[in-house]
Amino acid sequence: MKVETLKKRLDKNRPMTTITIRIPEDVIEDLKRVAPLLGFSGYQPLVRAYIGQGLRTDLERLEGDTVFALIASLKRHGVSDEVLQEALNEVTQR
């Protein structure tokens, strides 16, 4: 994830929107029971944390897939493994 995007995600004053989602009552009860044990003030912040965690995992996977596809394409176009490795080293050392 890019640094600027990460900074925005960590801003506690980000704009919020209200949504409606149907969740089984027993799941809500479990969330209410688990939230304080995990240090959350209530079940809604816990739900947001779960959603954010899953979203970050998927974004990382999808962005990673794009990088792998780009590398494969560059190899097909004749870019050597040494050049690709050097470029990856430059990017990861930031």
Side-chain angles (χ1 to χ4, degrees), residues 2 5 15 19 25 30-32 36 44 49 80 83-84 88 91:
K2 294 181 181 178
T5 303
I19 65 165
E25 290 178 3
D30 287 343
L31 288 166
K32 287 179 179 179
Q44 290 181 351
S80 71
V83 171
L84 290 171
L88 285 171
V91 171

Side-chain angles (χ1 to χ4, degrees), residues 3-4 14 16 27 44 62 65 67 69 74 78 83 90 92 94:
V3 175
E4 288 304 314
R14 293 191 330 220
M16 302 279 269
V27 173
Q44 290 181 351
L62 293 170
D65 289 349
V67 170
L74 290 170
V83 171
E90 285 179 18
T92 56
R94 288 184 186 180

Side-chain angles (χ1 to χ4, degrees), residues 13-32:
N13 296 318
R14 293 191 330 220
M16 302 279 269
T17 189
T18 302
I19 65 165
T20 301
I21 183 170
R22 296 177 58 80
I23 299 176
E25 290 178 3
D26 62 311
V27 173
I28 297 296
E29 291 306 315
D30 287 343
L31 288 166
K32 287 179 179 179

Side-chain angles (χ1 to χ4, degrees), residues 66-81 83-85 87-88:
T66 301
V67 170
F68 288 122
L70 175 61
I71 290 170
S73 177
L74 290 170
K75 284 183 178 184
R76 285 192 302 275
H77 284 83
V79 177
S80 71
D81 287 338
V83 171
L84 290 171
Q85 189 59 53
L88 285 171

Side-chain angles (χ1 to χ4, degrees), residues 6-8 11 15-16 19 26 28 31-32 37 42 48-49 53-55 57 60 63 73 79 81 85:
L6 184 57
K7 285 180 183 178
K8 288 179 184 176
D11 181 3
M16 302 279 269
I19 65 165
D26 62 311
I28 297 296
L31 288 166
K32 287 179 179 179
L37 300 173
R48 285 192 295 270
Q53 183 179 34
L55 179 60
T57 299
E60 183 176 309
E63 289 170 356
S73 177
V79 177
D81 287 338
Q85 189 59 53

